Amino acid sequence: MKEKEVNKETLRTIGSSIGLIALETQDMDNDDIEKQAKFLFHGDLHNRWFDKCITLSVASSAVVGANVEHSALDATVAGQMWEYVMTDEEYDERGRVIEPFRNQRAFPVAPPTHLQWDLNGLEEDLEHSKAHLRQMIADSDLVVIQTYGKAVPKKCRLSPDGWFQMAMQLAHYRKYNENVLTYESATTRLYYKGRTETIRPVTEKSVQFCKAFDDKSVPPEDVKKYLKEATDLQCRYKMEAMRGLGVDRHLFGLYCVAKGTNTDPLPDLFTDKAFNLRFNLSTSQTPVRTTDRWRLERSSVCGGFGTVTDNGYGVSYLVYDDYVTWSVHSKRSSPRTDSQEFAECIRQAMDDLRRLFDA
């Protein structure tokens, strides 16, 4: 097919942009966080450009949210930008920026232009793509719930992040009678061009805690001790990962070198079963309070991401003192997963942890 110059120019314009703004014809339900999350995740199919690192979706009511693609940046960057947007400007009732914010950082903006497309001869490809996207959206199982916040584990003198991670481990153990390889992200932005490292919250201590929790022969004080040991170990691993002492990125780099230099056979480490296990539980805490401008009344209420495996879960949790918003995602096509059931398992585990401490 002869190259279509108009399409090349449009794609070049989009590719050179910082991000996109999607002006939606539909509205977000301001009272339903789960519907808002689905709206921002995929919308109605036609108005997302997932190859860009960030798309700001503006609903017809002017409610705004963001869809971020992970390759170019991490959630900490998007979170800081989002916090700045929500806290650094003031608006009047008509949505206009008021003084003194109007000219605080003024810079010239080019007038909008209508990008052109020549779609002749592409109709079949477009229909195929739309059918594929419809199937992906139909397969997306996203559930959002809220529980109590970090004030409870702090009252119990335990790490809030460790508490939430162990709640997920307990929830998974109860539902599936096993603990699986679990990913938790750690930021390495203490370093120049630092991105992320892997925290592995599943340890002998976490498994011991999960097995003991519902065992009536184990005294509650022992369960508390196992929980503290598990959260302390998770917290230590997290701090080591943030300081550049994690193992996953290093091993992945060595793997890429071995593949890139056509090393044959690959070192035994890279063909070992343990190295090739999937992260069937992928977790991450949505970053908030990244700037000194932060105000609760102008903060995000939810963040989330999709599962990274066909038979697993992607769980994001946004933490405040009084509540945590959990986003649980899986695929409906999986015979193993059910986001609603797992979200309720997390809720039950959180309630049982609080009951253990009478907190």
Side-chain angles (χ1 to χ4, degrees):
M1 180 186 296
K2 184 179 179 180
E3 290 185 330
K4 298 178 180 291
E5 291 298 326
V6 64
N7 293 345
K8 287 177 63 177
E9 183 59 33
T10 294
L11 289 170
R12 189 179 299 114
T13 300
I14 295 172
S16 63
S17 66
I18 295 175
L20 297 179
I21 298 177
L23 302 178
E24 304 284 354
T25 56
Q26 59 178 318
D27 197 7
M28 278 194 281
D29 188 334
N30 294 344
D31 298 321
D32 192 322
I33 300 176
E34 186 172 297
K35 288 183 179 179
Q36 292 176 16
K38 293 176 180 178
F39 175 90
L40 294 171
F41 195 17
H42 49 67
D44 64 353
L45 172 73
H46 297 98
N47 209 4
R48 298 290 180 273
W49 193 280
F50 291 107
D51 285 341
K52 294 304 297 183
C53 64
I54 187 165
T55 299
L56 299 179
S57 295
V58 186
S60 58
S61 62
V63 176
V64 183
N67 184 302
V68 180
E69 201 285 316
H70 208 329
S71 300
L73 50 82
D74 301 314
T76 47
V77 178
Q80 186 170 351
M81 180 213 71
W82 194 241
E83 214 161 273
Y84 177 89
V85 169
M86 296 180 71
T87 60
D88 202 62
E89 292 184 342
E90 299 287 347
Y91 306 89
D92 63 19
E93 293 181 353
R94 296 179 61 186
R96 297 174 301 188
V97 179
I98 62 175
E99 302 293 353
F101 306 96
R102 185 187 303 277
N103 298 313
Q104 191 174 33
R105 293 174 181 85
F107 57 91
V109 178
T113 58
H114 188 190
L115 301 180
Q116 302 294 321
W117 298 94
D118 180 359
L119 303 181
N120 290 326
L122 300 176
E123 292 85 358
E124 185 176 344
D125 291 330
L126 290 172
E127 288 303 316
H128 176 78
S129 295
K130 286 194 286 186
H132 177 63
L133 287 171
R134 288 192 192 98
Q135 187 275 326
M136 291 180 67
I137 292 173
D139 197 28
S140 176
D141 186 10
L142 177 62
V143 172
V144 178
I145 64 169
Q146 287 187 323
T147 64
Y148 61 84
K150 66 180 180 180
V152 171
K154 287 173 68 175
K155 179 182 177 182
C156 301
R157 302 188 176 218
L158 290 173
S159 158
D161 187 60
W163 180 290
F164 303 138
Q165 284 290 328
M166 292 310 117
M168 283 185 278
Q169 291 303 318
L170 180 59
H172 196 281
Y173 184 79
R174 283 172 163 175
K175 181 169 174 56
Y176 297 103
N177 199 34
E178 66 173 351
N179 294 105
V180 294
L181 185 64
T182 302
Y183 172 90
E184 180 186 4
S185 61
T187 180
T188 54
R189 287 178 62 78
L190 291 170
Y191 296 92
Y192 179 58
K193 293 188 177 180
R195 294 285 304 262
T196 65
E197 178 55 277
T198 301
I199 306 167
R200 291 175 175 252
V202 176
T203 61
E204 290 182 354
K205 297 297 184 181
S206 71
V207 173
Q208 182 184 37
F209 158 72
C210 290
K211 290 181 176 180
F213 196 94
D214 292 320
D215 187 340
K216 301 302 182 184
S217 67
V218 180
E221 290 306 313
D222 286 351
V223 177
K224 292 180 183 179
K225 182 184 76 169
Y226 298 154
L227 175 60
K228 184 177 188 330
E229 291 174 345
T231 56
D232 285 351
L233 188 54
Q234 183 269 348
C235 190
R236 189 176 76 193
Y237 200 126
K238 176 172 64 176
M239 298 308 296
E240 289 176 351
M242 291 174 64
R243 289 164 49 213
L245 300 176
V247 299
D248 281 78
R249 301 298 181 264
H250 179 68
L251 290 176
F252 181 65
L254 293 176
Y255 174 78
C256 290
V257 170
K259 294 289 286 186
T261 55
N262 297 315
T263 300
D264 188 21
L266 284 173
D268 291 344
L269 169 66
F270 301 131
T271 59
D272 188 89
K273 178 182 177 180
F275 186 81
N276 290 282
L277 288 173
R278 296 291 189 93
F279 286 107
N280 276 339
L281 183 54
S282 182
T283 73
S284 181
Q285 184 176 159
T286 303
V288 293
R289 303 190 75 163
T290 59
T291 72
D292 57 7
R293 302 177 177 88
W294 181 86
R295 286 179 283 169
L296 180 61
E297 65 272 16
R298 290 198 175 188
S299 60
S300 298
V301 293
C302 182
F305 56 89
T307 176
V308 299
T309 65
D310 290 337
N311 294 300
Y313 294 99
V315 182
S316 176
Y317 50 108
L318 187 149
V319 179
Y320 293 119
D321 286 340
D322 296 331
Y323 69 89
V324 177
T325 304
W326 302 81
S327 167
V328 180
H329 183 268
S330 64
K331 294 187 176 182
R332 298 185 189 277
S333 56
S334 170
R336 179 181 181 274
T337 59
D338 186 303
S339 293
Q340 186 66 55
E341 288 184 4
F342 189 54
E344 291 306 320
C345 286
I346 292 174
R347 189 198 302 277
Q348 185 63 56
M350 288 284 285
D351 289 343
D352 291 344
L353 284 179
R354 178 166 58 178
R355 194 174 297 113
L356 176 67
F357 286 85
D358 294 321

